[in-house]
Amino acid sequence: MARRNQKKLKLFAESVNGEDRTATEDGKDRLELQTWSDLPLELLNLIMSRLTLEDNIRASSVCKRWHNVAVSVRVMYQSPRLMSFPKYGNLYEFYDPSERETYSIELPELHGSRVCCTKDGWLLLYRAIVHQVFFFNPFNRELIKLPSFELSYQTVAFSCAPTSTGCVIVTITLDVGLTDVAISMCHPGASEWTTVNHQNHLPFVGCIWNRLVFCSGMFYWVGVTSWLGVYDPKKRTWNVLAVHPPRRLHPATFSDWWKRIFIAEHNGDILIIYTCCTENPIVFKLDRSKMVWQETQNLGGVTLFVGFLSSLARTNLPGPMRNSVYFSKVFFLFGKRCISYSLDDGSYYPLKRLYDWGKEDPFENIWIEPPQDASSFI
């Protein structure tokens, strides 16, 4: 009896093992038949959202499923608009350099005011007669008033859109003796401006024409001949860093130097664009680890839009626009075109010649970011 039971157990074990082997082989066959197109949807969405625009477009050609996912997460940024101020009236022109199209908007809300700067699609304006400071969005016509303040001889900037938490406006006035700076600060909803005088622990020669730039929570002000001023709006501290400007930036060699230097920020990097009538533009990036300005020949696909009142950086623009600097001057050649400089080709477009930006009117226009769907405002 025991021998018979052992034989039955042996046969049962063999049958179970055989079924396991068959199931394992079937599983292996199914795995071998799976392809990259069978990735779980959540994982595929995650992968596509991390790709650059070029890689996203390439991935969309793999199969129909990948195409649908790639298109759903694809981000194609719009280029900024060049907003031109009218000499008379309230009709403002907006030029799209990527589409080379112009449209106009009547903005009577801006009558009698001066544009100071822009960020995130908002303008900061000043009406001198009544010392009125206010934000205005030309695309949705929203207006946000600030406490009265005299903005005469200060450089000014703000951190983010006034509708965002943490928006702060900062103005800096340099003392005549160059030993102190007066920094005034305000925020939407405040009842007044606060002003604090700070002492320069290093000699600092600033200029009201130099632009403030907000980067990684700090306001930076590039000095005329030396050092770099940094203001922390949270701690309300002012420091002058021993960061010498590039040798070729020294303004003593030409007049109207402030019209020839532009400053921008991108992903925590501070960039200076130096122009001269005798040579091509040069782009410098601040190396924070060494605290030196380093010349760069490659923007990594970034497009810079520079002007006296604002300078912006954008990624994921159409291929021909990348690794280029677009200036706030429109040239008429087979239609309107912005003058640009390609770092890849080392040449200006549309005409391959040098330009003297010191002779241009710095107050006739400003770069501004449009909303995602600007068509509804045209």
Side-chain angles (χ1 to χ4, degrees):
M1 179 69 69
R3 185 175 298 175
R4 185 180 302 170
N5 289 338
Q6 289 178 356
K7 187 175 181 180
K8 289 181 178 180
L9 287 173
K10 183 177 180 181
L11 291 172
F12 177 74
E14 289 176 351
S15 64
V16 170
N17 291 335
E19 291 175 359
D20 288 344
R21 284 194 297 272
T22 302
T24 302
E25 290 172 357
D26 291 343
K28 288 181 178 179
D29 291 340
R30 284 195 297 272
L31 287 174
E32 289 176 356
L33 291 174
Q34 287 183 340
T35 65
W36 283 101
S37 61
D38 298 317
L39 284 173
L41 184 61
E42 295 81 5
L43 180 58
L44 192 57
N45 270 289
L46 179 62
I47 293 173
M48 293 294 183
S49 64
R50 300 291 180 88
L51 298 179
T52 62
L53 179 63
E54 296 94 331
D55 291 338
N56 178 289
I57 294 173
R58 294 189 188 100
S60 67
S61 63
V62 171
C63 63
K64 185 176 181 180
R65 185 166 179 261
W66 277 35
H67 174 81
N68 293 336
V69 175
V71 171
S72 69
V73 301
R74 182 177 299 168
V75 177
M76 174 70 83
Y77 291 106
Q78 299 186 75
S79 65
R81 303 298 193 263
L82 185 61
M83 178 182 178
S84 297
F85 313 139
K87 293 182 178 180
Y88 308 99
N90 301 310
L91 189 63
Y92 290 77
E93 285 192 350
F94 292 80
Y95 175 71
D96 180 355
S98 59
E99 299 293 335
R100 299 181 189 172
E101 294 180 349
T102 302
Y103 57 93
S104 301
I105 303 178
E106 283 278 354
L107 299 173
E109 299 92 335
L110 306 188
H111 181 72
S113 63
R114 168 172 60 88
V115 176
C116 300
C117 57
T118 181
K119 194 176 183 66
D120 297 339
W122 285 81
L123 299 168
L124 180 65
L125 301 108
Y126 176 60
R127 192 167 280 124
I129 297 177
V130 291
H131 295 170
Q132 183 183 19
V133 186
F134 62 100
F135 285 108
F136 183 74
N137 188 316
F139 301 104
N140 61 17
R141 297 181 118 84
E142 186 175 355
L143 189 148
I144 299 175
K145 292 183 178 181
L146 295 169
S148 297
F149 187 75
E150 185 176 357
L151 276 176
S152 299
Y153 302 103
Q154 302 98 322
T155 181
V156 59
F158 59 100
S159 59
C160 56
T163 52
S164 302
T165 304
C167 175
V168 60
I169 309 99
V170 167
T171 77
I172 302 180
T173 307
L174 190 66
D175 181 74
V176 177
L178 309 181
T179 58
D180 299 287
V181 293
I183 299 180
S184 301
M185 192 167 64
C186 189
H187 61 84
S191 59
E192 62 181 2
W193 291 72
T194 59
T195 301
V196 178
N197 291 327
H198 299 266
Q199 188 173 9
N200 294 322
H201 63 277
L202 287 174
F204 185 80
V205 182
C207 176
I208 62 171
W209 308 117
N210 281 21
R211 294 290 91 191
L212 274 174
V213 62
F214 183 75
C215 179
S216 302
M218 305 284 191
F219 288 91
Y220 290 84
W221 195 20
V222 178
V224 174
T225 56
S226 61
W227 317 134
L228 180 69
V230 183
Y231 180 69
D232 186 336
K234 290 186 176 180
K235 297 180 180 179
R236 302 196 177 189
T237 57
W238 165 259
N239 290 304
V240 178
L241 306 180
V243 182
H244 287 281
R247 185 175 302 174
R248 299 166 96 170
L249 282 181
H250 199 285
T253 57
F254 49 84
S255 61
D256 294 334
W257 58 268
W258 50 273
K259 295 183 183 179
R260 294 177 165 94
I261 300 174
F262 309 95
I263 183 169
E265 179 274 339
H266 176 67
N267 283 352
D269 287 327
I270 300 176
L271 303 166
I272 282 183
I273 302 90
Y274 161 73
T275 67
C276 181
C277 59
T278 60
E279 58 184 303
N280 287 327
I282 307 171
V283 180
F284 297 93
K285 182 167 66 174
L286 180 63
D287 185 337
R288 296 193 187 185
S289 62
K290 300 178 181 178
M291 279 301 174
V292 295
W293 293 101
Q294 291 187 339
E295 183 177 343
T296 177
Q297 299 290 341
N298 193 329
L299 296 175
V302 173
T303 307
L304 297 177
F305 297 86
V306 302
F308 172 68
L309 293 176
S310 70
S311 294
L312 307 174
R314 285 294 169 269
T315 57
N316 288 345
L317 292 179
M321 298 184 70
R322 300 179 190 182
N323 210 37
S324 297
V325 180
Y326 277 71
F327 293 89
S328 56
K329 181 176 177 61
V330 176
F331 191 86
F332 290 85
L333 181 67
F334 304 110
K336 283 187 176 181
R337 292 188 62 176
C338 267
I339 293 177
S340 64
Y341 176 78
S342 170
L343 273 73
D344 292 331
D345 301 337
S347 180
Y348 274 107
Y349 291 95
L351 299 179
K352 298 183 179 182
R353 63 178 178 84
L354 298 174
Y355 291 88
D356 185 0
W357 300 108
K359 295 182 179 180
E360 299 298 325
D361 182 358
F363 302 104
E364 64 181 9
N365 51 39
I366 190 171
W367 289 107
I368 185 170
E369 302 167 80
Q372 286 297 317
D373 183 14
S375 60
S376 59
F377 303 104
I378 299 176

